[in-house]
Amino acid sequence: MRIIAAEPPAPIAHPPQVTPASAQAVEPARTAVTGGTAPARTPAATPSVLKPCDRPVAKPALRFGDPAGFDRMLRTKLRGSRAVVVDMDTPYPAAKEAPAPLGAWLNEIAQSGGSVSVSPYCQKGRGFGGFFAKLFGGGPAEPYKAARKYDAVLHVDALDQVVTQVEFTPRKSKK
């Protein structure tokens, strides 16, 4: 006795294509399989689930969770000449103003000629209309003097449109 392998199931996502039958075409006879188990059907494909993206900087220098001690800690970190990454414990919407006192630090960077830019990650970024207009909140300038030597990059999760990290980078000297 000869056993013929079962035909694979047609893909569910694509409808079967119908080809016109010619007048002379003959459909082959189907042979039943006896004495065995039916071939297992492959399960239908499940939709992919969006996974959260890793933040751009794996080991930030500071965490923004307690605004009370944030000014002192950031001022100390900015006295060096290295980049300082602040990780947001609670990300804030990219279209909204930065939470106090972070907004005052970003404002000082912008007012002293530095740049505050946005760097989307995880997925292609979408529009940031009106983002910079609301970003810079006021506050006394002198306590944030250390920021005058830095630029800032806001790392935005493009999928959720929230700022998850703020990176302060030393400004390049202008020649």
Side-chain angles (χ1 to χ4, degrees):
M1 176 191 305
R2 184 173 158 200
I3 299 176
I4 299 176
E7 294 180 13
I12 295 173
H14 302 289
Q17 295 182 356
V18 178
T19 56
S22 69
Q24 299 169 344
V26 176
E27 186 174 284
R30 298 202 180 255
T31 307
V33 178
T34 58
T37 59
R41 287 180 101 25
T42 56
T46 58
S48 62
V49 177
L50 295 176
K51 296 178 184 176
C53 293
D54 292 333
R55 293 184 178 193
V57 179
K59 296 182 180 182
L62 287 176
R63 297 192 74 76
F64 186 81
D66 177 25
F70 178 74
D71 280 341
R72 181 182 46 77
M73 291 186 297
L74 183 58
R75 188 177 304 112
T76 301
K77 294 284 186 182
L78 292 179
R79 287 189 180 139
S81 59
R82 293 186 165 181
V84 177
V85 177
V86 177
D87 199 60
M88 303 300 292
D89 281 350
T90 305
Y92 66 94
K96 301 282 184 180
E97 186 176 319
L102 181 61
W105 285 97
L106 297 174
N107 189 38
E108 184 64 25
I109 288 171
Q111 287 181 354
S112 65
S115 70
V116 178
S117 59
V118 175
S119 175
Y121 67 96
C122 186
Q123 182 184 40
K124 280 190 173 183
R126 295 177 202 119
F128 289 100
F131 174 72
F132 286 107
K134 296 179 182 177
L135 174 68
F136 304 111
E142 285 305 310
Y144 310 107
K145 185 177 179 180
R148 293 178 184 169
K149 302 182 299 183
Y150 285 82
D151 291 327
V153 177
L154 306 179
H155 294 287
V156 176
D157 182 332
L159 183 63
D160 297 329
Q161 291 295 298
V162 293
V163 177
T164 58
Q165 292 181 324
V166 178
E167 184 174 358
F168 293 87
T169 56
R171 287 187 200 165
K172 298 189 177 13
S173 60
K174 295 180 181 178
K175 294 181 182 181

